[in-house]
Amino acid sequence: MQKSTIQFLVINCFLAIVLISCGSVTKNYTPKKLDKTSYTVPYFSDSKTDYVYKTNISVYGNELSGIFIAKKINDTTHRIVFTTEFGNKLMDFEISETDFKVNSIVSELNRKILINTLKEDFRLLLKKEYSIQEQFENESADIYKSADGKRDNYIFISQKDQKLEKIVHASQTKEKFTLLFSSENNIFAEKIQIIHQNIKLKIELNYFKSE
């Protein structure tokens, strides 16, 4: 990977995060009687599995491709490694709901704003349990609201097949980013997208099938 490509990605991340625009959380949901007080995410839960995905990060039209590897190393913590397609390590860190440790990172990506953005994205991606406070529905999904500090998470479960479709991370007034899941069996997600609503940042993970 060219060093200039990584530097350009970082510069665009800084510009994107600074130029935040406002949005609003969709409120066209119908309130529904609460049928559960907690929800367990089915993905990234097997400590015996290395979750390996081909990855593409898009920031303001600039593309960075590589390999994303997530491994559950204990009951609360995952280790995440991001490499180039040629196997050169770019980032290596351990993450839980309360802790975050950077094992290694290339100097071009070692920027606080960028690290904090990825930490928030991947912490939600790997979150296992949600405490549910409210429930809604739309034309195709049951929607569960879970408090997350000063923000909320909206969990969309398909009414048709009970699969986890997406999670929206939002403040009281605007959506911040969305996780989209495609899964054949609701145990393993073959495709994941992390889409930011207030900056032009998109992360796409596609399951890497070894030949």
Side-chain angles (χ1 to χ4, degrees):
M1 176 174 294
Q2 295 294 325
K3 185 175 181 179
S4 60
T5 300
I6 301 177
Q7 291 174 330
F8 187 61
L9 173 74
V10 173
I11 291 171
N12 277 326
C13 278
F14 280 127
L15 291 174
I17 293 168
V18 170
L19 298 174
I20 293 175
S21 60
C22 294
S24 60
V25 178
T26 301
K27 295 299 183 181
N28 296 325
Y29 306 149
T30 302
K32 189 176 180 180
K33 183 178 179 181
L34 194 64
D35 62 18
K36 63 181 68 179
T37 58
S38 65
Y39 177 74
T40 302
V41 177
Y43 311 134
F44 298 101
S45 60
D46 186 359
S47 60
K48 297 179 181 179
T49 300
D50 291 339
Y51 296 91
V52 183
Y53 292 84
K54 289 185 177 180
T55 306
N56 187 73
I57 300 176
S58 176
V59 179
Y60 278 80
N62 189 58
E63 305 291 329
L64 176 65
S65 298
I67 304 295
F68 170 92
I69 306 167
K71 174 76 172 180
K72 186 177 182 181
I73 58 176
N74 59 46
D75 289 341
T76 62
T77 305
H78 286 78
R79 183 178 178 186
I80 291 178
V81 176
F82 183 56
T83 73
T84 68
E85 294 180 341
F86 299 102
N88 298 318
K89 188 185 292 185
L90 298 175
M91 294 180 287
D92 179 346
F93 53 87
E94 296 172 19
I95 188 169
S96 71
E97 289 195 41
T98 57
D99 297 308
F100 182 77
K101 176 185 176 183
V102 177
N103 294 323
S104 65
I105 187 169
V106 296
S107 58
E108 292 84 2
L109 297 176
N110 192 12
R111 302 294 185 270
K112 185 176 181 179
I113 294 177
L114 178 59
I115 292 173
N116 286 341
T117 299
L118 295 177
K119 177 173 68 174
E120 189 173 33
D121 288 354
F122 293 135
R123 178 167 281 161
L124 187 64
L125 174 65
L126 300 170
K127 184 177 175 65
K128 184 65 176 176
E129 299 284 345
Y130 289 87
S131 177
I132 305 301
Q133 288 80 40
E134 297 180 66
Q135 184 174 344
F136 308 87
E137 64 179 354
N138 60 17
E139 64 278 2
S140 62
D142 288 319
I143 305 159
Y144 296 92
K145 178 183 175 181
S146 175
D148 188 0
K150 295 181 180 180
R151 298 189 176 95
D152 296 313
N153 295 312
Y154 294 86
I155 305 159
F156 289 69
I157 308 297
S158 169
Q159 293 175 347
K160 179 180 179 181
D161 51 24
Q162 294 302 298
K163 291 180 181 178
L164 173 61
E165 294 183 332
K166 69 177 178 179
I167 300 174
V168 177
H169 187 64
S171 68
Q172 293 183 348
T173 59
K174 61 184 179 182
E175 296 180 3
K176 189 169 185 182
F177 63 90
T178 299
L179 306 182
L180 299 175
F181 301 94
S182 295
S183 173
E184 294 181 0
N185 54 20
N186 206 35
I187 297 175
F188 188 94
E190 284 79 20
K191 181 176 181 179
I192 301 167
Q193 295 181 76
I194 305 174
I195 303 172
H196 283 252
Q197 276 74 42
N198 53 6
I199 58 178
K200 291 184 178 180
L201 171 61
K202 178 181 178 181
I203 302 172
E204 185 170 306
L205 308 175
N206 291 285
Y207 173 52
F208 183 82
K209 292 184 178 180
S210 59
E211 299 297 336

